[in-house]
Amino acid sequence: MGHQQVPPDDITLTRRDLQELTSRETSSLDFDLASIYVSDAQYNRNIYFDTSPQAVRLYLRYNHWLPQVLLYVFILVDLSLALFEEPAVFALPTWATMLVELLCLIVFTIRLIHYAKVIPRDKFWKDPKNICIIVILGLTMVDMIIYGALKASNCRAVRWSRVLRPLLLVNVTEGRQLRRAFRSIRNALPQIFYVFLLFMFSLLIFSLMALKLLGKRGLKTIDGAPYFTNYLEIVFDLYVLVTTANSPDVMMPAYNASTGFAIFFILYILINTYIFMSVFLAVVYNNYKKYLKEEVRQLVRAKRHKMVRAFAVLQEQREEGGEPVVSQANWNQLVRLVQPDLSNAHRELLWSVSDDTNQGCIGKVAFVQLADLLNIEVITLKSRPHPLQGVCPAFYLSAPSRLLCQLVQHRAFVIVYDLIILVNAVFIGLDEENPLISNSEWVFLALYLLEILLKLYVFEPRAFFSRHSFWNWFDTIIVVAALIATIINSAMKSSGDYTSRQILDIVFILRVLRLIRVVDSIKRFRTIINTLIRIGPAILTFGQLIIVVYYIFAMVGMEIFKGKVKFYEADSSDPAKAYCGNPSLKGTPFAQLNYCKNNFNDVVSSFVLLVELTVVNQCSGFTLVTHVSARIYFVLFHIPPFITIIVTIRPQLHIFVAFVLEAFFVEYSVEKSDLQTSLEKKIEELELAVAQEKLEDNLVNAMETIDSDQGTGQSANSKPGLMFKIASKRYRTVDALLQRMFEADLDPEDFAETDDPAAPTSGNFSNPAFSSA
Amino acid sequence: MGHQQVPPDDITLTRRDLQELTSRETSSLDFDLASIYVSDAQYNRNIYFDTSPQAVRLYLRYNHWLPQVLLYVFILVDLSLALFEEPAVFALPTWATMLVELLCLIVFTIRLIHYAKVIPRDKFWKDPKNICIIVILGLTMVDMIIYGALKASNCRAVRWSRVLRPLLLVNVTEGRQLRRAFRSIRNALPQIFYVFLLFMFSLLIFSLMALKLLGKRGLKTIDGAPYFTNYLEIVFDLYVLVTTANSPDVMMPAYNASTGFAIFFILYILINTYIFMSVFLAVVYNNYKKYLKEEVRQLVRAKRHKMVRAFAVLQEQREEGGEPVVSQANWNQLVRLVQPDLSNAHRELLWSVSDDTNQGCIGKVAFVQLADLLNIEVITLKSRPHPLQGVCPAFYLSAPSRLLCQLVQHRAFVIVYDLIILVNAVFIGLDEENPLISNSEWVFLALYLLEILLKLYVFEPRAFFSRHSFWNWFDTIIVVAALIATIINSAMKSSGDYTSRQILDIVFILRVLRLIRVVDSIKRFRTIINTLIRIGPAILTFGQLIIVVYYIFAMVGMEIFKGKVKFYEADSSDPAKAYCGNPSLKGTPFAQLNYCKNNFNDVVSSFVLLVELTVVNQCSGFTLVTHVSARIYFVLFHIPPFITIIVTIRPQLHIFVAFVLEAFFVEYSVEKSDLQTSLEKKIEELELAVAQEKLEDNLVNAMETIDSDQGTGQSANSKPGLMFKIASKRYRTVDALLQRMFEADLDPEDFAETDDPAAPTSGNFSNPAFSSA
């Protein structure tokens, strides 16, 4: 459930194990084992697997990307079944969804059995994750059978086990990011709770004061209802006032009665909105950071231990009594196994960083760095001449051609195209019914195409479309897609009878998206955007977390509220349309404001409604419902589930803000890590560095000085045919970002400890467990 | 204006100065000079004063508390003149307000002349602060003359110089906290501006997309107006959506048309509300902290320099070639001058902390600490027996009396009274018309009085009412005030004819305030509340800042908008009441929602309106005005000033949150400073410490073991008649809190530098000046 105290997928390293490991010769199995340790360290997997040859082979297969992707695909299929099940968005017969669900269950069972074969039996049964999955699978089976039987006998049946589905996301082995997020939130809750209590206390005191001061004055709200006479209503009104959603309205009757009451409300907002919310954020931020730091500390410690184990497998004694080392040959074979897609040159670069003194072998300390080194993304740039130069050198190297290249690479070229984009923005904003405007679209498309073709003429195509040229890819895809969509649209239009709204929408979206390109030309904007892109994967963890919570609430909400509120299309003439098909809503603001589509009638509507409830300052829109007639609110929404939603989701938003704050600080301001610096230094030492400006401004000129392609560039000391560049501060994994976030705060002693990995105290490294005191 | 690049109230210390200082004998003037340096260091005053005897005397008088308080009183009077000037809350004749203002101007001029006499002439004229004040005074005089002349000839006249009044707050010498806040904000603005631009870009792009996707579908809003057809309106609607104020409403027409459009709005809110606002907060926090840290670094450096100057004045050479030192006698005299209210025992304690090795003199390093030592608040507790023990020892020490004392000090006593408070809360909530309920008030009052009397019986009254016993003072004042108010109220009631609403209100407020006491019984709550109380003074700086901005806007707003919207009392039957006395408001939501009192007709209404505009998610209430008919909004509010208000005040809120965050982190989590620790250690060493529990739980018992009062306790080594306690983490000045905030980050080299104060590079210490690059 993500709530277990100690996730027991840990590795215990005994002294006996180690001796056994070191006494053997390095075989193929040893390499498999070592590569597993390294890749576990690289991706922070904490799985206690059997070291028997068979289990190691199975474990390798378990960690293969294909079954992992398949697992997530099936979880996605399982989750999206809610679209087809009753109440359905697209109705499918019950037997079809049941069959698909059964297939999913089988896949999950197979995956679990695979996992059970990999780790020792006793570890398997001690792990709450596995128990959870088994329970979920069992309960789902039971529910399906009951549901099927009830349906067959035409009874009313509830598919209650659907609530359990998102829990699979948390409990699969790969969900460790999500589990960590849940743990951090749970650990930060007690502290947050005290601030919340104090805030509630302040709210209650203020409400009491409002009741005594204003209740007896016979004031009326704008609707003519008595003002501030019911304590519970006052509490609710003032609670909403904290979010400032009903701000002037709730104050106006008192303010109209006497100016002095404004002081009460201003004081209230100052204390409860500004001071308390700041303190709330401060406490959330502080606690979340504290626990996350502890988690990361444990993570780093576990990583070092795994690297030490890998070292123990491959180590050899060069001279009697000397320190054990790993030879370059073994190291090469290991890295090849761990990351087969690494180029030889890149591998050699990493080796030269590790073996700084050029001894042909590395000790334990240097070896342990490997996991972090592999996580630094190094861009390998092969300097190739432009293909046109090969095909027709006389033309490509002629003076006009070179002038064109210089023009395209000039700063003015960028500025001209930025201006074109701005003009385009104005044209988009104008009415496209005008033939001049609609024809101008072709001109702009041609201009954008020309830009891409010019760039392709100037820059080497493979460099232009390299994996890290985000904006080049973005441009090309948007322009080509817009071209295709516009052509289709024109074809349909000229065929006369039908203009597809969908196609037109796509054309519009693509046109507007093109404008985003301007951002890349302004350096400060680029910094901010790049920072956001880099912390993106970490934010996605929160996305999963939100989906888990939403899904559970949506399932429960659908079972309770489905059909209570009905939505009628705009052209419907049903009289029930005026009150959303529910007579008790007659004349209420809910119906008047046309909120009928905010219902729980299918999973998509439920999600939208939940998002609204999260986003909308708790309830502003929906308080309009309560405000006038609390009755309707209770009838419709049965307040408790909604209070639960708010209380559950709100802290997450705060934690989200806290996380973005922290990640942004690190990304935005901090320099590179020590390891990255040493890698960069080595790259420069070997004269393989690509100057940033060179790369961007005159890649062609730089390449022209290199006479011909040097092949794969095996020897790094020859004239460089290969160039390296560290992908600035990009991380391969979210964990690497986390580690980076707390690097300054992490105790150096934690790393020193790895020198004695077999010591009983440090041998057992579990994920962190905090006492909830 | 608070915007000057380099505030030039700096001290330049040349080598010649120092030599001159050291060669003299320590005279009375020297002590004055040294004490000025120390107190300047203590309160971080950076004033370059003349060191001539006359100027030193003047400077001492300039820093006296009386003229400083007077100055602020007159500034307050000057600012509050707006209440009486037209458009007035309480109208006074023009000649009266003009006369008062003239008096204020004269006071400010005298203060400025005093300042001019203290510092060298060239420094005076180089300081933008002084120029500002002179310009303000001059312009105000000119304005008053013109206004008087125009009034006399019955022309329409505008008192435009009132806008300048709050700038006095910023530019007086004592406004350095405020100036620092302004500087920090100004320096953080460029970075914030880029994020804001990017946010605006994103807003414009989304609006364009909304226009293209939704504008042509012929959708209608709930009011039947065309939906999303005007680009500027879309921009405004989406801008408000960022604050989530109009959240479901703005989305509903599109959502009703097609479920897919929900994706557009969800994406918009995710990006612009959550991501961008988080990034915004992160950037504000980061930049504000960075600049504040730099300011504090400079502050600390300046403080050390001043202490070194003071040391140079008092230093003497004990042995040839030895380090210069300050003798205990000189040190004592200095401290007596700097802080006359310090008890002898406290001074001896400080000396023993400075002179750790008991040599009778201290070197420069120990001397420099003095300013910080004086800023640590040490509570001196005289252990006195209870006065009743002196009057009637046989009775007070008898067994029943001692039992009573033990009972009152028991934990259960607190719990019983907490329960009484809770019961009281319920009774307050009930209807006070019921005679049972209204009479119960007397019971509760009696109970609370009994509690205070019992405590006074048990604890020594002077200890009970010591300066730091916040809750004791709070209790007593509230209970006694409630008693008096209730008696008056009853007397009026029984006299039959008249019940004063005001008195009743006060009774109610006092009753409810009593409930707050519960917070003190719960330890976690106490921690949070104490933290808030401690960061209170720092928050007040922001209060001043807000007042400066509000005042200026209120003055401008009043001149432009006064009388445009009229408020009619509830019992008025004027037909103009329905549209706030402005025909163009007929039928608008502004009038319908009864917002008529939100106007600029006097300074109080203006302030309330400005607070509303700040608080209310930018405009939610007022967008109701725009939403339906943008015309009214423009007519009424002439959008530009309001946009300015929002853009000016919003970042301040963010900075406020950032500041509270930072201060809260420090106060809530960090331990005491090194100096505090060493002071505490010394207190314990001298056996003068008061154990915290002792103090709280059984002060009487502890005192009973001490046979008799030892007088003033001159000798610290005798049996202690005096006890010391460090006032936990309380600071005397805001600067001390700031210094504490960044203590961990401050470079130790900054302090090392003070060893060579005469070095030309470090001699000139101005306030920090940042390049705005």
Side-chain angles (χ1 to χ4, degrees), chain A residues 191 212 216-217 222 247 249 251 255 259 285 428 431-432 505 524 592 595 597 612 617 665, chain B residues 191 212 216-217 222 249 255 259 285 428 431-432 505 524 592 595 597 612 616-617 665:
Chain A
Q191 285 289 324
K212 299 318 278 184
K216 291 279 164 186
R217 285 175 195 253
I222 191 76
S247 172
D249 305 272
M251 176 179 118
Y255 183 47
T259 308
Y285 176 77
I428 291 175
D431 192 7
E432 77 268 10
D505 283 350
R524 297 244 187 187
Q592 278 163 12
Y595 281 181
K597 208 171 179 179
E612 277 177 28
N617 260 323
F665 291 162
Chain B
Q191 284 289 324
K212 298 318 277 185
K216 291 278 164 188
R217 286 177 194 251
I222 192 75
D249 305 272
Y255 183 46
T259 308
Y285 176 78
I428 292 174
D431 192 7
E432 75 268 13
D505 282 351
R524 297 245 190 186
Q592 279 164 11
Y595 282 180
K597 209 171 179 178
E612 277 176 29
V616 171
N617 260 325
F665 292 160

Side-chain angles (χ1 to χ4, degrees), chain B residues 408-449:
Chain B
V408 171
Q409 286 167 66
H410 197 272
R411 180 97 195 111
F413 185 77
V414 178
I415 293 170
V416 166
Y417 265 95
D418 283 351
L419 286 177
I420 290 174
I421 290 175
L422 287 179
V423 174
N424 192 0
V426 174
F427 270 77
I428 292 174
L430 295 174
D431 192 7
E432 75 268 13
E433 301 291 303
N434 187 326
L436 184 75
I437 303 289
S438 61
N439 287 332
S440 74
E441 176 59 20
W442 292 105
V443 179
F444 284 113
L445 267 180
L447 280 172
Y448 292 131
L449 267 181

Side-chain angles (χ1 to χ4, degrees), chain B residues 183-194:
Chain B
R183 264 203 308 275
S184 294
I185 291 174
R186 195 198 50 202
N187 287 320
L189 273 184
Q191 284 289 324
I192 297 168
F193 183 66
Y194 277 102

Side-chain angles (χ1 to χ4, degrees), chain A residues 482-519:
Chain A
L483 186 69
I484 293 169
T486 310
I487 290 172
I488 292 176
N489 187 41
S490 302
M492 284 177 123
K493 221 178 193 170
S494 62
S495 77
D497 40 28
Y498 178 68
T499 312
S500 164
R501 196 73 233 185
Q502 270 75 29
I503 297 280
L504 210 57
D505 283 350
I506 291 170
V507 170
F508 286 146
I509 292 174
L510 289 171
R511 269 188 217 163
V512 175
L513 280 180
R514 235 155 39 193
L515 304 182
I516 295 179
R517 242 271 314 271
V518 175
V519 169

Side-chain angles (χ1 to χ4, degrees), chain B residues 19 222 280 430 434 564-565 569 602 624 632 657 747 773:
Chain B
Q19 281 169 351
I222 192 75
F280 205 67
L430 295 174
N434 187 326
K564 290 263 163 75
V565 175
E569 290 298 331
D602 60 61
L624 284 172
I632 306 307
V657 172
D747 243 343

Side-chain angles (χ1 to χ4, degrees), chain A residues 191 194-195 197-198 201 205 208-209 211-213 216-217 222 243-245 247-249 251-252 255-256 258-259 262 266 269 274-275 278-279 281-283 285-286 425 428-433 501 505 508-509 512-513 515-516 518-519 524-525 528-529 532 539 567 569 592-595 597-598 604-605 608 611-612 614-617 620-622 650 653 656-657 660-661 664-665 668-669, chain B residues 191 194-195 197-198 201 205 208-209 211-213 216-217 222 243-245 247-249 251-252 255-256 258-259 262 266 269 274-275 278-279 281-283 285-286 425 428-433 501 505 508-509 512-513 515-516 518-519 524-525 528-529 532 539 567 569 592-595 597-598 604-605 608 611-612 614-617 620-622 650 653 656-657 660-661 664-665 668-669:
Chain A
Q191 285 289 324
Y194 276 103
V195 180
L197 272 189
L198 196 59
F201 179 75
I205 288 284
L208 193 57
M209 210 176 271
L211 177 69
K212 299 318 278 184
L213 287 183
K216 291 279 164 186
R217 285 175 195 253
I222 191 76
T243 70
T244 71
S247 172
D249 305 272
M251 176 179 118
M252 284 324 287
Y255 183 47
N256 285 338
S258 163
T259 308
I266 290 175
I269 286 180
Y274 292 113
I275 309 260
S278 297
V279 168
L281 184 58
V283 171
Y285 176 77
N286 223 13
I428 291 175
L430 296 173
D431 192 7
E432 77 268 10
E433 300 292 303
R501 196 73 233 185
D505 283 350
F508 286 146
I509 292 174
V512 175
L513 280 180
L515 304 182
I516 295 179
V518 175
V519 169
R524 297 244 187 187
F525 286 179
I528 298 170
I529 293 283
L532 282 178
I539 290 175
F567 172 67
E569 290 296 331
Q592 278 163 12
L593 286 169
N594 211 356
Y595 281 181
K597 208 171 179 179
N598 292 323
V604 174
S605 301
V608 173
V611 171
E612 277 177 28
T614 319
V615 159
V616 171
N617 260 323
S620 82
F622 299 92
R650 279 274 134 174
L653 287 181
F656 177 77
V657 172
V660 173
L661 280 183
F664 200 85
F665 291 162
Y668 199 60
S669 56
Chain B
Q191 284 289 324
Y194 277 102
V195 180
L197 272 189
L198 196 58
F201 178 76
I205 288 285
L208 193 57
M209 210 176 272
L211 177 70
K212 298 318 277 185
L213 287 183
K216 291 278 164 188
R217 286 177 194 251
I222 192 75
T243 70
T244 71
S247 173
D249 305 272
M251 176 179 118
M252 285 323 289
Y255 183 46
N256 284 337
S258 162
T259 308
I266 290 174
I269 286 181
Y274 292 113
I275 310 263
S278 297
V279 168
L281 185 58
V283 171
Y285 176 78
N286 223 14
I428 292 174
L430 295 174
D431 192 7
E432 75 268 13
E433 301 291 303
R501 196 73 233 185
D505 282 351
F508 286 145
I509 291 174
V512 175
L513 280 180
L515 304 182
I516 295 178
V518 175
V519 168
R524 297 245 190 186
F525 286 178
I528 298 170
I529 292 284
L532 282 178
I539 290 176
F567 172 68
E569 290 298 331
Q592 279 164 11
L593 286 170
N594 210 357
Y595 282 180
K597 209 171 179 178
N598 293 323
V604 174
S605 301
V608 173
V611 171
E612 277 176 29
T614 320
V615 159
V616 171
N617 260 325
S620 81
F622 301 93
R650 278 275 134 172
L653 287 181
F656 177 77
V657 172
V660 173
L661 279 183
F664 200 85
F665 292 160
Y668 198 61
S669 55

Side-chain angles (χ1 to χ4, degrees), chain B residues 305 308 364-365 368 749-759 762:
Chain B
H305 279 284
V308 167
K364 195 194 283 177
V365 175
V368 164
E749 290 114 68
D750 279 349
F751 310 121
E753 219 173 81
T754 55
D755 286 353
D756 187 13
S762 65

